[in-house]
Amino acid sequence: MIFKKMIFSKILSNGLKADFSVVQVDDTCQASLYIDGRHIPGPPLPVPLDSVKGQITHWMGNHPSVGLTADEVERINREVQLENSVLEHRKHQKS
């Protein structure tokens, strides 16, 4: 896993800091969650909640997981797509 860039940070209700970033795994980019600097394994992109809880519509991370708003999800998805398009462009230039 190669760190590409930080997307945003937020302070959780328990006071811990959650950092959302773009990382490269093999030849694709995905989102990654760090809580207080420790990588939290989980899905490569935010996952929709089965039932929306107020403004929280998605989650990331496994044990612990972090809730995300629609705006935060859009921001994460946009940054991951941007980095993947850059990788795809570079791949075509080498061919």
Side-chain angles (χ1 to χ4, degrees):
M1 178 173 14
I2 300 168
F3 179 86
K4 297 292 274 181
K5 69 178 179 179
M6 177 71 65
I7 303 171
F8 67 91
S9 298
K10 71 181 195 177
I11 303 300
L12 305 176
S13 59
N14 61 7
L16 297 176
K17 182 182 175 192
D19 296 314
F20 298 88
S21 60
V22 177
V23 295
Q24 183 177 338
V25 178
D26 299 322
D27 15 333
T28 207
C29 288
Q30 61 188 38
S32 187
L33 169 64
Y34 295 85
I35 295 182
D36 275 357
R38 187 177 68 113
H39 177 256
I40 306 298
L45 289 171
V47 177
L49 287 172
D50 292 333
S51 60
V52 174
K53 297 175 183 170
Q55 291 186 344
I56 304 300
T57 61
H58 290 69
W59 63 273
M60 275 193 73
N62 289 323
H63 307 294
S65 61
V66 175
L68 297 161
T69 66
D71 288 341
E72 291 168 334
V73 170
E74 182 180 324
R75 194 168 166 192
I76 291 169
N77 287 337
R78 182 178 59 240
E79 292 297 331
V80 170
Q81 288 173 353
L82 175 64
E83 289 298 321
N84 276 321
S85 68
V86 169
L87 286 177
E88 191 64 31
H89 178 72
R90 287 181 182 160
K91 197 183 305 180
H92 287 308
Q93 282 187 327
K94 290 180 182 178
S95 306

